[in-house]
Amino acid sequence: MPPSSEIQFSSAELLDRNFVNYKPRLAFDGDTVDAWRDWRTQLLPELREQLGPFPDEAFPLNPRIVSTEAYDRCTIYKVIYYSRAEVAIPAYLSIPKGVTTKTPAVLCIHGHVPGGKASVISGNGQFGAPYGRDLAEQGVITLCPDNAGMGERAHPSGGCDFLWRRLNYLGYDLTGYRVYDLMRGVDYLQSLPEVDERQIGIAGLSGGCWLGIVHAALDERVRAAVLSGYFTTFAQTSWFGHCICHHPKGIGELCELPDIAGLIAPRPIFVEWGTGDVSRPVHPAFEMAQRIYRAANAGDQITLQEFDAGHLFSGEQSLPWLIQTLSRK
Ligand SMILES: [Zn+2]
């Protein structure tokens, strides 16, 4: 036994010493369609299990419009619908002016900000383009709900941490809990007569990017995704900090974050990253996901735009890409 002065007592530092050789159990490690298919068949149900439990039956949405604001290019409704029994979701539904036919729709997932849904409708530019409103003004229906623990769904005692404690106590995962709400958002969009139910996309910044990756992986109704500002690895983020809501229990034993993005293949994704956003690096996550897309014979369905800015949603290339992708029949 070494002298006590040389013994390492810090638990976290001990883990760090072994982490360099760490490899998740179901990290993708192939290059053929068969390897991709086999891997996906294993990872998808395990991921779903890890993020659950999910309700067996969908609770009636019971949607209601509570206010209406008309603007030049779109009308913004404040709506409420139910995700689970007694779980009401407040959201902004934006319908472009003059919509007469079935129209593509985008679920706009807000980032890790206290203001929640307001940031994607009336943002002050701090987090870049207010994509919920920009898309609606360009002819796409958008739905911007509050994520659990944020916006109107926050608690005076705190957001993620406080909610995480209570959900964890009851055996729920906060990411899975939020992603289920997003799935119900798609249910709501598909219930609207104006929405083309086959042309639904998602867009998300930061925490909304993380949730969007998981949502699109689990929900095949998501046809295309813009993923901005959190297309990274757990090893470069969760290992060092970031919010507890970004890493479900045991997720690193199962897979890396780009593996989850790879589950979206062959559906198209557009990744954005500001090169100044150094605490959420897109490399090597993008290349890891790209390898999965290539194995799935969908290498042309994953795109990266890097731009000269920090942690914000650009939209310069991604929003036209999303509109075009969802307009294709
Ligand atoms: Zn959080």
Side-chain angles (χ1 to χ4, degrees):
M1 184 184 284
S4 60
S5 61
E6 292 176 16
I7 294 176
Q8 176 58 261
F9 290 110
S10 163
S11 310
E13 284 184 21
L14 276 171
L15 293 174
D16 212 29
R17 195 182 298 167
N18 298 318
F19 189 67
V20 67
N21 296 318
Y22 188 78
K23 186 167 182 281
R25 182 164 46 88
L26 290 181
F28 183 72
D29 189 21
D31 49 22
T32 64
V33 171
D34 286 343
W36 165 71
R37 202 172 284 124
D38 289 349
W39 165 83
R40 191 175 192 278
T41 304
Q42 285 185 71
L43 178 56
L44 195 54
E46 285 212 37
L47 180 65
R48 194 183 297 274
E49 179 78 23
Q50 200 125 358
L51 296 173
F54 299 107
D56 293 329
E57 287 184 21
F59 190 79
L61 290 164
N62 294 327
R64 190 182 342 154
I65 294 174
V66 294
S67 68
T68 304
E69 299 270 358
Y71 298 92
D72 288 347
R73 286 183 281 177
C74 66
T75 302
I76 301 180
Y77 302 92
K78 168 84 180 289
V79 299
I80 297 171
Y81 52 87
Y82 282 79
S83 172
R84 308 169 191 244
E86 298 184 43
V87 179
I89 313 276
Y92 291 121
L93 172 69
S94 301
I95 308 270
K97 276 280 165 65
V99 161
T100 53
T101 57
K102 291 277 191 183
T103 302
V106 173
L107 183 68
C108 296
I109 312 166
H110 67 74
H112 200 271
V113 292
K117 62 188 179 307
S119 64
V120 290
I121 284 292
S122 56
N124 60 8
Q126 184 186 0
F127 299 108
Y131 38 101
R133 178 141 182 177
D134 283 0
L135 283 165
E137 292 186 343
Q138 294 174 61
V140 174
I141 294 168
T142 65
L143 182 70
C144 311
D146 272 334
N147 294 325
M150 293 181 164
E152 292 182 83
R153 303 178 70 193
H155 187 277
S157 296
C160 296
D161 192 65
F162 191 72
L163 181 59
W164 184 91
R165 284 166 201 272
R166 291 192 170 180
L167 287 173
N168 185 62
Y169 185 81
L170 295 169
Y172 286 89
D173 173 73
L174 178 51
T175 295
Y177 193 84
R178 286 175 170 162
V179 164
Y180 183 75
D181 288 346
L182 297 175
M183 293 175 176
R184 298 311 315 274
V186 174
D187 289 345
Y188 174 61
L189 282 171
Q190 290 190 326
S191 75
L192 299 173
E194 300 93 338
V195 168
D196 183 341
E197 61 181 12
R198 298 158 304 162
Q199 305 293 338
I200 291 177
I202 60 166
L205 168 70
S206 186
C209 176
W210 156 241
L211 292 173
I213 292 169
V214 180
H215 177 205
L218 296 186
D219 189 346
E220 297 212 8
R221 299 172 300 174
V222 175
R223 184 153 179 264
V226 172
L227 304 165
S228 179
Y230 210 85
F231 201 97
T232 184
T233 64
F234 297 124
Q236 290 164 297
T237 54
S238 301
W239 190 255
F240 297 102
H242 288 267
C243 187
I244 198 166
C245 70
H246 289 56
H247 49 291
K249 183 184 175 189
I251 193 70
E253 186 276 331
L254 183 64
C255 65
E256 246 299 351
L257 206 162
D259 291 312
I260 303 175
L263 291 172
I264 307 169
R267 288 168 287 149
I269 60 175
F270 192 109
V271 179
E272 285 192 348
W273 181 62
T275 53
D277 193 5
V278 292
S279 66
R280 304 164 191 85
V282 80
H283 304 292
F286 181 78
E287 290 73 21
M288 292 163 74
Q290 192 176 41
R291 180 182 176 190
I292 300 170
Y293 266 75
R294 284 179 176 154
N297 283 337
D300 57 346
Q301 300 299 309
I302 177 168
T303 305
L304 171 64
Q305 185 210 354
E306 298 185 38
F307 52 90
D308 184 19
H311 187 53
L312 53 79
F313 192 101
S314 163
E316 185 187 351
Q317 294 179 18
S318 63
L319 294 185
W321 172 90
L322 186 57
I323 293 168
Q324 190 180 33
T325 302
L326 294 177
S327 301
R328 234 177 271 143
K329 296 292 180 187

